[in-house]
Amino acid sequence: MQATLSISGSTRLADLLAGYPFLRQHLPSVHPRFAMLSTPLASMMLKKATIEEMCRRSGMAQDHLICALEGLILHHL
């Protein structure tokens, strides 16, 4: 069993995807705007993107996004 990563607004998306690669395919189910993560442009953005930035771009509340990510992670562990 993998140790879970503590997720906060400053957590980098690249770190989440490195620890939980399955998230990339499931993020569009959390919010349609996250479908862009499968585009070539996303590889440049991933290194800098944080949870806080994802919330700003999607309009999601930070606690909602964090709960959704934690749920996806727990479901796959």
Side-chain angles (χ1 to χ4, degrees), residues 51-67:
I51 297 301
E52 183 178 7
E53 180 66 24
M54 290 175 70
C55 291
R56 269 193 304 242
R57 291 188 179 264
S58 68
M60 289 184 74
Q62 186 170 299
D63 60 337
H64 181 75
L65 178 55
I66 290 172
C67 285

Side-chain angles (χ1 to χ4, degrees), residues 25-61:
Q25 73 183 47
H26 294 286
L27 278 171
S29 70
V30 174
H31 194 284
R33 282 196 162 208
F34 301 147
M36 59 98 29
L37 295 173
S38 60
T39 66
L41 178 61
S43 62
M44 295 187 316
M45 297 175 64
L46 285 177
K47 294 176 183 161
K48 294 183 179 185
T50 63
I51 297 301
E52 183 178 7
E53 180 66 24
M54 290 175 70
C55 291
R56 269 193 304 242
R57 291 188 179 264
S58 68
M60 289 184 74

Side-chain angles (χ1 to χ4, degrees), residues 3 5 13 16 19 29 31 37 41 54 62 69 71-72 75-76:
L5 179 66
L13 182 56
L16 277 177
S29 70
H31 194 284
L37 295 173
L41 178 61
M54 290 175 70
Q62 186 170 299
L69 292 170
L72 287 170
H75 177 74
H76 281 87

